[in-house]
Amino acid sequence: MAAAGAPNALLKPASKSISTGPYTLRALLGDVPLSADGETSDIAITCVEYWDGNLYVGTSAAEILHFVSIPGGSSDGTPGTTFILASRLEPSPSTSQSSKGVQQIILLPRVNKACIRCNNVLTFYSLPELSPAFANTRISNCSWIGGRDLDVDENEEGTPEVMMICIKSRIRLVRIGEEPRLVKNIEYPACLASARRGRFVCVADAHSYALLDVENQQKIPLFPISSLDEDAESVGGGVQDVSSATVPQVFRGISSTQAHSPGPNDSTSHGRSTSLGAFMGGLGRKQQGSRSRSRDRSGIGSPEGGPGRQSPKQSLSPSRAGPDIRGSSQAADMVTAPMVASARNDTVQQTKPLPQTPAILRPHISSPIASEFLLTTGTSDNDPGVGIFVNCDGDVVRGTLEFGKYPTTIITDGGDPAAVMKSGYSEDDHDGYVLAAMERITTDLTEHGLEIQRWDVDAGEGKAWLAVPNDSLETSPARKVVGLGVTRTAIDMVFSEIAERLRSRRLRMRHISTERPISTEPLVLEQREAEGVLEDWEVQRNKQEDEFASRLCQKSTRVVTWSGSAIFWVARNPILLKFDATIDQILHASLETRLDQSRLVKIVRRIRKREAKSEAEFLSLEYIRQKISLILFADIAANRTDVNPQINEHLFVEGGLDPRVILSMVPLLQEDIVEGSKGIWIHEGLVILMERQLSTPPVSLESDEVLSRPEEFDLLGLIKRYLSIWRQRKGFGSIADETQIFSTVDAALLHVLLYQDQQAQSSSIRAELYAVVDHGVDCFDRAVELLEEFHRLYVLSRLYQSRKMAGKVLATWRRIIEGEHDDGGELVDGENEVRKYLVKIKDLSLIEEYGTWLANRNPALGVQVFTDDNSRVKLPPNQVVQLLRLRSPDAVKVYLEHLVFGKKNVRYANDLISYYLDNVLAVLESSSEARATLAQSYESYRALHPPKPTYRQFIVDNAIPASWWHDRLRLLELLGGSHGAGFSYDVPEVLGRIEPFEDSLVPESIILDGRQGRHSQALRLLTHGLGDYHTAVNYCLLGGSSIYHPTSGPVRPESIPSREEQAALFRSLLYEFLHIDDISDRVERTSELLERFGAWFDVAYVLNQIPDEWSVDLVSAFLVSALRRLVQDKSEAMITKALSGAENLKVSADFIEKCEALGPQVESVPEIVASI
């Protein structure tokens, strides 16, 4: 699917190509002057060595070029160094056409000497100027020099070096110090390669490998170099002795090549055997049927029965031990000049077919760690090669390595922590690699370069190819071959690309209009930015960032390669450049098709498992994650179909990229970004990407492609989750520009939630919106602006609540209650919410302001603000009454009702009575309908037949929905004495006010008559005016002062009149009952009254009052109960009298007994009294 949608500038790859493999090339010298006369068509570089600023280049013309480094500004990756030619040396000139040139350069810094093998002649020189040493000592027929102990610390200056000088017949261990001194001879002729670890040396001749114990003078044959080499079939078997009687001596010249004859050695044999022959059987060794030929190439003669039958103590003569001179010369020629030999082989291949003879392969030995050696084997130069690891016991360890073609040179780099620490490599060089120089034939051309693979893992990262450029125009095969080597010391080089990517630079948001920096001269700043003039602080910070980044881009390497006349450092490819190049490859592929998001996700997952070992690696991994985050976000923003399911918010958060950078690509959210006075600072590599993206025309919100396709990938949901995770990082001290970042995060998250809620109106989204607002936001002003813009006033009030801005909360609620548009509609019972909020706050001014405002709208709710017992601010009642009278007159009555009826505060009862009278009388005066309603209620009640409720209960049950009706009920309750006998009011005043409406206010008149002691008038109104006989009876029992209020619980005794008073009231009530107009009601009510309350009546009085025409049966019940009471009273009086007499007798008897008990008492009279 072709990429479509909004232009995405981030998906354009970088123009500069960088290697994606583990290594990269850095130019060391280009166009090396290989010849003094300028004719260099047939001259090639054969070896390169570097030490302490000195570069030594050996050529096939048997010359050594000595270059010296000088400080200089170089852009080739070296740390500001330039090399100049200091001298040109010919160690061992040769006139023969078969000249090998300079074959080896061995530097010995500890003794300031250099060993140079040129044309199979070894010479010694002094460092660094390469002046002849040791009286110009020369050793001819030298096939190899090496064997320097890799376990010895190279930094121990002055310590002699023990080297292995391999000549035609044996190996000589020589200690090189102030003078070369022979240590011992080892009977191993024609050695072509070696590597030494302590007392163990892995060596090779032209046919096979062997493991030597230099201290015990023993050898373990290993396996052939070529599995097709029939001459090496006898290799393998037990431990063999390679001792030779030697006397330490000093080399004195060419004659020193004639060594002492070998002799026996008493060293203990190594009794271990090896089974490498069986291992090599699977490498494709060619079998020749019955042809069986055995020839020992190890320097040890053996019987025809095979090497396994020879005693390890047996020592052989040199004539029998060594191969013929011609074979040794062929091997030396092949090894010492691999590039020339390879070129010759190429020439032969072009002219005529090779004969059916096995090729002689060059042996390669390397020691990656202290206990292992890496050896190569194969079949021919053009066939694949195999790398085999052997330990110091001769056993095969690890797995094998496979080379695409048998290499011309191999080296191992890294993988040994101890060696890494000694060499000064960085911590990220612990990974072990094998670099093999070879040519690779593709369908189009033949490439020369390095094949690279891991050796320290079983399942490595696969092979990588690093092509070595060759600018030579000559067709000489020798100039095309790639050489490879390891220098004595490492060089520090600067990867300027790392600094260019990692250093921080300010990102300028040109299309963001709402930048809110604090500046005293904004116009001047904008003008200076437009002119490209930076502020002083920004210039200073840029310098600081450059200095910091310069410490991150240094790498060390000892690996060098060459081709033609150019020399290159082979350096570990920094992780930043490696992954950055991979990303650019992915972007380049996306130019023709859709971006492969899965490949970018795999990179993130890959580096997620990698633990940074240095600050540079930490920042590099961070940069890669951030770059991938930008690219992926830009891609899904422009094309929201087929989005990789592994892309989620955690992927974008993982890199720690400033969220303002991500949000700048979303037009809807650009206004929410807060840059601050210092701006946004990110890695310069990301700044370049973002400036490219921001340079495109901005997308308007109305045509926002990012938000207009809700049926596709939910980009807003991704942004919301991304911002939510970022919001959880508040308080982390490691976040720079924390204030600006979290202001932006909060504003953008709030914006997204408001937009989503506007579109979907989902309860879950609304809950998230509330959670964000309730927990507080850092972008308060922007949040207010957004909420006002989206008309979300209730959410705005919650925002104010999070800041404890009570005044703003109440003002916002008032706007909603008074009708201002609120899209959410969440404030359902707004007035009650205001009341509950006022109860919780302590601000007196707000309570007075909004309490009275609420009381004006809803007096009942408004008054609760001042009456709630849970209120945090309690005002005295008199202050509340004054406040309500001033600001909310309609609520005064409600508040007084609370005081009087709720709190039983009789102090304000008169005020409340006055309010009730005002309301009721005003209605009766102005409304004839109200007067008619009252009259109708009286008639309806009188029409009811007993038993019927009291009049009060009747008007409560049949209340009309009018405030004056409610006020009248409350007025009756107050007038009727609901607050006890202690409560009093101005009866004459009240009576005077209701006098004009006494016909309409009959219950009120009854209560007031009772208050004035006009009980007969009150009972008359109850009986004849209302017909409320039940209330009339209660009036007699309770004294008439508390008949029109709800009774709950027992009546207080002090409020009940005495029995005589009750009897008087009952007599008055009997009188009124006897004058009821309806004869049936008269008889019924009188009979019931006398029957129920006969105890309060005198029989004689009742008989006098009852009309004579009434039958005795009508009052029989009263008469029977009265007579019974009389008989009962008489009986009770007799019993009382008898009991009193008995009690008197008992008291008299008790007195007599006391007197008798005390006896007589004689009292003496004083003399004065007696004289009187």
Side-chain angles (χ1 to χ4, degrees):
M1 173 179 173
N8 190 351
L10 289 184
L11 300 185
K12 296 179 181 179
S15 58
K16 187 176 180 179
S17 177
I18 303 176
S19 172
T20 61
Y23 286 82
T24 185
L25 297 180
R26 294 280 146 164
L28 174 58
L29 279 179
D31 196 14
V32 177
L34 300 178
S35 174
D37 57 7
E39 295 294 331
T40 61
S41 59
D42 293 330
I43 302 177
I45 300 173
T46 56
C47 54
V48 176
E49 187 58 276
Y50 174 83
W51 170 74
D52 195 22
N54 296 273
L55 179 68
Y56 305 95
V57 180
T59 69
S60 59
E63 290 184 331
I64 293 181
L65 308 180
H66 178 199
F67 294 88
V68 179
S69 65
I70 60 174
S74 176
S75 60
D76 59 1
T78 59
T81 58
T82 302
F83 289 93
I84 60 172
L85 181 62
S87 64
R88 187 184 295 268
L89 176 69
E90 293 185 62
S92 180
S94 175
T95 57
S96 173
Q97 294 183 352
S98 61
S99 172
K100 312 301 185 296
V102 177
Q103 297 157 301
Q104 285 180 276
I105 301 176
I106 305 297
L107 303 182
L108 307 176
R110 290 193 297 175
V111 294
N112 291 324
K113 296 297 185 290
C115 303
I116 298 176
R117 187 169 68 92
C118 179
N119 294 324
N120 290 338
V121 176
L122 177 63
T123 54
F124 301 92
Y125 296 88
S126 298
L127 294 178
E129 71 280 0
L130 296 184
S131 58
F134 304 143
N136 202 16
T137 300
R138 303 164 65 86
I139 302 177
S140 301
N141 294 326
C142 181
S143 61
W144 180 261
I145 180 172
R148 183 174 54 86
D149 191 353
L150 299 178
D151 292 338
V152 175
D153 188 0
E154 299 178 358
N155 298 323
E156 296 180 3
E157 296 184 1
T159 304
E161 295 268 12
V162 176
M163 301 297 296
M164 295 176 60
I165 299 176
C166 306
I167 58 176
K168 178 173 62 175
S169 58
R170 62 181 58 85
I171 297 175
R172 290 183 170 183
L173 258 65
V174 179
R175 179 179 290 107
I176 300 178
E178 294 297 329
E179 58 183 7
R181 182 173 296 276
L182 179 64
V183 178
K184 65 177 65 177
N185 289 327
I186 300 175
E187 296 302 319
Y188 189 88
C191 178
L192 304 180
S194 66
R196 180 182 174 190
R197 290 285 187 178
R199 64 189 180 95
F200 296 101
V201 185
C202 187
V203 295
D205 58 12
H207 297 277
S208 63
Y209 297 100
L211 188 64
L212 302 180
D213 184 345
V214 296
E215 293 183 1
N216 297 317
Q217 298 282 304
Q218 294 175 343
K219 180 187 76 172
I220 300 177
L222 297 179
F223 48 83
I225 302 169
S226 172
S227 59
L228 301 181
D229 189 355
E230 297 177 354
D231 294 339
E233 288 181 351
S234 62
V235 173
V239 177
Q240 302 172 3
D241 182 74
V242 290
S243 62
S244 175
T246 60
V247 178
Q249 58 180 302
V250 180
F251 287 2
R252 293 301 180 188
I254 299 176
S255 62
S256 62
T257 58
Q258 305 302 322
H260 294 276
S261 2
N265 195 337
D266 297 334
S267 59
T268 305
S269 64
H270 196 315
R272 191 189 179 286
S273 63
T274 178
S275 59
L276 286 172
F279 174 80
M280 295 301 298
L283 295 179
R285 172 175 295 180
K286 182 178 179 181
Q287 303 295 333
Q288 296 294 337
S290 61
R291 181 182 180 182
S292 172
R293 191 160 54 119
S294 174
R295 190 168 62 184
D296 188 5
R297 297 280 188 264
S298 65
I300 306 295
S302 62
E304 294 181 358
R309 299 181 181 180
Q310 173 155 350
S311 169
K313 296 289 184 178
Q314 182 177 0
S315 177
L316 301 179
S317 65
S319 60
R320 185 177 180 183
D324 59 81
I325 299 176
R326 183 174 56 187
S328 176
S329 175
Q330 290 177 349
D333 292 346
M334 181 273 296
V335 175
T336 56
M339 286 68 67
V340 177
S342 178
R344 291 173 179 171
N345 290 338
D346 292 343
T347 305
V348 173
Q349 290 177 1
Q350 295 174 3
T351 57
K352 61 181 179 179
L354 290 173
Q356 299 297 323
T357 58
I360 300 178
L361 300 180
R362 178 187 180 185
H364 300 301
I365 304 174
S366 181
S367 180
I369 59 176
S371 60
E372 295 181 15
F373 299 96
L374 172 63
L375 316 176
T376 59
T377 182
T379 55
S380 68
D381 289 333
N382 297 321
D383 292 334
V386 177
I388 302 173
F389 291 91
V390 178
N391 63 15
C392 293
D393 293 329
D395 294 332
V396 175
V397 293
R398 301 183 184 271
T400 59
L401 300 178
E402 181 180 353
F403 302 101
K405 185 179 179 181
Y406 193 85
T408 59
T409 310
I410 68 165
I411 65 167
T412 56
D413 182 41
D416 185 357
V420 168
M421 294 179 63
K422 290 180 181 180
S423 63
Y425 281 13
S426 59
E427 293 183 359
D428 56 351
D429 292 331
H430 283 293
D431 297 340
Y433 286 92
V434 175
L435 289 78
M438 63 181 68
E439 68 175 15
R440 184 175 66 172
I441 301 176
T442 62
T443 55
D444 299 331
L445 48 85
T446 299
E447 289 184 314
H448 294 267
L450 306 177
E451 183 183 83
I452 305 169
Q453 58 183 310
R454 290 284 297 274
W455 66 264
D456 57 346
V457 291
D458 293 336
E461 301 174 358
K463 297 180 181 180
W465 176 259
L466 181 62
V468 179
N470 190 331
D471 298 332
S472 178
L473 300 178
E474 294 85 353
T475 57
S476 172
R479 299 293 299 273
K480 296 180 180 179
V481 176
V482 173
L484 182 64
V486 179
T487 61
R488 181 70 178 192
T489 58
I491 187 172
D492 293 328
M493 57 182 58
V494 177
F495 284 81
S496 58
E497 301 95 328
I498 297 178
E500 293 170 357
R501 287 164 172 79
L502 290 185
R503 63 190 177 191
S504 294
R505 286 294 185 266
R506 184 178 181 182
L507 176 63
R508 303 185 184 278
M509 304 288 193
R510 297 184 179 88
H511 297 295
I512 296 179
S513 59
T514 307
E515 181 180 1
R516 295 181 284 276
I518 302 174
S519 176
T520 57
E521 300 178 350
L523 296 179
V524 175
L525 290 178
E526 291 178 5
Q527 181 179 1
R528 294 187 67 178
E529 288 184 1
E531 295 174 355
V533 180
L534 301 180
E535 289 294 304
D536 294 338
W537 67 267
E538 187 171 352
V539 173
Q540 183 64 25
R541 177 162 181 181
N542 286 340
K543 291 181 179 179
Q544 295 174 356
E545 292 294 339
D546 292 342
E547 294 175 359
F548 173 74
S550 65
R551 302 196 301 267
L552 305 175
C553 56
Q554 296 183 359
K555 296 283 287 186
S556 299
T557 185
R558 295 174 58 196
V559 183
V560 65
T561 186
W562 57 88
S563 179
S565 61
I567 305 175
F568 305 91
W569 290 111
V570 182
R572 289 287 180 106
N573 196 6
I575 185 173
L576 184 145
L577 300 182
K578 180 169 59 176
F579 283 114
D580 204 27
T582 304
I583 294 173
D584 284 342
Q585 286 184 353
I586 298 173
L587 296 181
H588 189 274
S590 69
L591 296 177
E592 301 296 333
T593 182
R594 178 69 188 273
L595 176 68
D596 190 350
Q597 299 174 350
S598 61
R599 293 183 63 187
L600 294 176
V601 174
K602 287 180 180 178
I603 295 177
V604 175
R605 295 176 60 186
R606 180 179 176 186
I607 63 179
R608 184 181 297 158
K609 302 176 182 178
R610 184 183 183 116
E611 182 179 357
K613 301 181 180 67
S614 63
E615 185 179 20
E617 185 173 352
F618 175 81
L619 293 176
S620 299
L621 296 177
E622 177 188 72
Y623 171 82
I624 294 300
R625 284 191 289 260
Q626 292 179 359
K627 183 174 182 179
I628 292 176
S629 298
L630 280 180
I631 295 172
L632 288 176
F633 188 87
D635 183 58
I636 62 177
N639 307 281
R640 292 195 288 150
T641 57
D642 301 329
V643 177
N644 192 297
Q646 294 180 333
I647 298 178
N648 53 36
E649 60 278 6
H650 297 285
L651 186 144
F652 295 105
V653 174
E654 185 177 350
L657 178 64
D658 191 325
R660 295 176 291 179
V661 181
I662 292 287
L663 298 177
S664 65
M665 293 186 287
V666 184
L668 175 68
L669 306 178
Q670 287 180 350
E671 295 292 329
D672 302 319
I673 298 176
V674 180
E675 288 193 64
S677 59
K678 301 299 183 181
I680 301 173
W681 289 75
I682 57 176
H683 297 302
E684 186 176 18
L686 305 180
V687 170
I688 296 173
L689 290 178
M690 288 304 302
E691 287 181 346
R692 189 190 309 163
Q693 176 74 7
L694 296 175
S695 63
T696 58
V699 183
S700 64
L701 295 180
E702 290 76 12
S703 60
D704 190 357
E705 293 295 331
V706 177
L707 306 172
S708 61
R709 301 189 293 270
E711 71 280 357
E712 299 177 359
F713 180 74
D714 185 14
L715 181 61
L716 273 186
L718 174 65
I719 296 174
K720 178 182 67 176
R721 296 187 297 272
Y722 168 72
L723 294 174
S724 297
I725 297 177
W726 253 103
R727 200 164 184 263
Q728 296 173 5
R729 295 187 170 188
K730 285 187 180 182
F732 287 14
S734 60
I735 299 177
D737 299 331
E738 182 179 11
T739 301
Q740 291 77 22
I741 287 178
F742 288 112
S743 294
T744 300
V745 167
D746 287 348
L749 179 58
L750 181 61
H751 201 161
V752 170
L753 290 171
L754 287 172
Y755 187 91
Q756 287 186 325
D757 190 53
Q758 186 184 59
Q759 301 297 320
Q761 296 183 355
S762 169
S763 59
S764 60
I765 295 177
R766 186 159 297 183
E768 293 179 64
L769 177 62
Y770 291 163
V772 169
V773 172
D774 292 345
H775 286 85
V777 293
D778 293 346
C779 58
F780 182 76
D781 294 336
R782 177 59 179 166
V784 173
E785 181 182 343
L786 285 171
L787 294 171
E788 292 282 4
E789 179 183 339
F790 279 85
H791 304 289
R792 301 301 299 273
L793 298 183
Y794 176 73
V795 183
L796 176 61
S797 70
R798 297 184 71 131
L799 175 64
Y800 288 138
Q801 288 186 62
S802 68
R803 291 290 184 97
K804 300 186 183 303
M805 303 173 67
K808 294 288 187 179
V809 174
L810 294 169
T812 306
W813 282 350
R814 179 163 62 183
R815 291 168 58 188
I816 300 173
I817 294 171
E818 289 180 351
E820 189 168 341
H821 181 62
D822 180 27
D823 278 350
E826 297 101 321
L827 191 64
V828 179
D829 190 4
E831 293 178 350
N832 193 42
E833 291 296 326
V834 171
R835 178 196 67 79
K836 292 189 290 186
Y837 191 74
L838 288 172
V839 170
K840 298 176 183 178
I841 64 176
K842 293 182 178 181
D843 194 324
L844 179 60
S845 61
L846 291 178
I847 294 174
E848 291 179 352
E849 179 183 357
Y850 288 95
T852 54
W853 169 81
L854 182 60
N856 277 323
R857 292 184 57 86
N858 190 332
L861 277 178
V863 167
Q864 292 180 27
V865 174
F866 305 101
T867 61
D868 197 312
D869 292 335
N870 297 321
S871 177
R872 304 183 70 178
V873 177
K874 293 180 173 57
L875 298 177
N878 59 340
Q879 185 177 344
V880 177
V881 171
Q882 293 177 4
L883 183 64
L884 293 176
R885 283 176 177 172
L886 180 63
R887 300 184 183 181
S888 180
D890 294 339
V892 175
K893 182 193 67 174
V894 179
Y895 182 70
L896 292 175
E897 287 179 343
H898 165 75
L899 293 176
V900 175
F901 294 103
K903 298 297 184 180
K904 306 301 180 181
N905 191 342
V906 297
R907 177 181 175 184
Y908 298 95
N910 283 318
D911 294 335
L912 185 57
I913 290 173
S914 178
Y915 267 95
Y916 286 152
L917 287 175
D918 291 342
N919 294 340
V920 174
L921 295 179
V923 172
L924 293 178
E925 184 177 1
S926 61
S927 174
S928 58
E929 182 180 356
R931 294 193 296 271
T933 300
L934 288 177
Q936 180 63 37
S937 68
Y938 300 146
E939 292 181 6
S940 299
Y941 184 74
R942 285 195 294 265
L944 295 177
H945 294 283
K948 60 182 179 179
T950 63
Y951 178 73
R952 171 174 169 73
Q953 188 63 39
F954 175 76
I955 59 177
V956 169
D957 294 340
N958 297 276
I960 61 177
S963 62
W964 68 271
W965 189 275
H966 172 268
D967 292 345
R968 183 176 179 239
L969 294 177
R970 289 286 187 164
L971 178 62
L972 288 174
E973 189 174 343
L974 284 177
L975 294 177
S978 60
H979 290 72
F983 168 64
S984 62
Y985 51 87
D986 192 347
V987 176
E989 181 182 354
V990 176
L991 187 60
R993 295 189 63 181
I994 69 171
E995 185 176 0
F997 305 96
E998 60 181 2
D999 294 337
S1000 299
L1001 301 175
V1002 176
E1004 290 81 356
S1005 299
I1006 295 172
I1007 295 173
L1008 293 175
D1009 287 339
R1011 285 280 181 172
Q1012 292 179 315
R1014 299 189 299 181
H1015 302 300
S1016 299
Q1017 180 65 20
L1019 291 173
R1020 185 178 302 110
L1021 290 175
L1022 283 170
T1023 305
H1024 305 291
L1026 289 179
D1028 188 356
Y1029 308 123
H1030 186 273
T1031 301
V1033 172
N1034 287 338
Y1035 186 93
C1036 296
L1037 293 172
L1038 302 177
S1041 61
S1042 57
I1043 58 173
Y1044 278 104
H1045 66 87
T1047 57
S1048 59
V1051 180
R1052 289 175 294 180
E1054 62 271 14
S1055 63
I1056 300 176
S1058 64
R1059 190 170 183 83
E1060 289 76 11
E1061 292 175 349
Q1062 291 177 343
L1065 292 176
F1066 273 117
R1067 288 194 294 269
S1068 297
L1069 181 59
L1070 177 61
Y1071 177 80
E1072 298 301 332
F1073 278 4
L1074 290 174
H1075 291 83
I1076 294 175
D1077 294 337
D1078 190 336
I1079 186 62
S1080 60
D1081 285 345
R1082 183 193 311 161
V1083 173
E1084 186 175 351
R1085 300 279 73 78
T1086 302
S1087 300
E1088 183 182 1
L1089 177 63
L1090 292 174
E1091 182 178 355
R1092 293 178 57 194
F1093 302 98
W1096 277 268
F1097 291 97
D1098 183 70
V1099 177
Y1101 175 78
V1102 173
L1103 292 177
N1104 290 331
Q1105 295 297 324
I1106 292 176
D1108 296 339
E1109 61 271 12
W1110 280 21
S1111 171
V1112 176
D1113 292 337
L1114 297 177
V1115 292
S1116 59
F1118 166 71
L1119 294 175
V1120 171
S1121 61
L1123 293 175
R1124 286 178 178 173
R1125 281 195 303 274
L1126 291 175
V1127 174
Q1128 181 179 354
D1129 291 344
K1130 181 180 179 181
S1131 299
E1132 290 177 357
M1134 292 175 66
I1135 294 173
T1136 301
K1137 182 179 180 182
L1139 292 174
S1140 297
E1143 185 179 6
N1144 187 33
L1145 290 175
K1146 184 177 182 304
V1147 171
S1148 298
D1150 291 340
F1151 178 75
I1152 293 172
E1153 290 178 358
K1154 285 287 185 181
C1155 290
E1156 290 178 351
L1158 292 174
Q1161 184 176 359
V1162 178
E1163 296 181 359
S1164 61
V1165 179
E1167 294 180 358
I1168 297 175
V1169 178
S1171 63
I1172 293 174

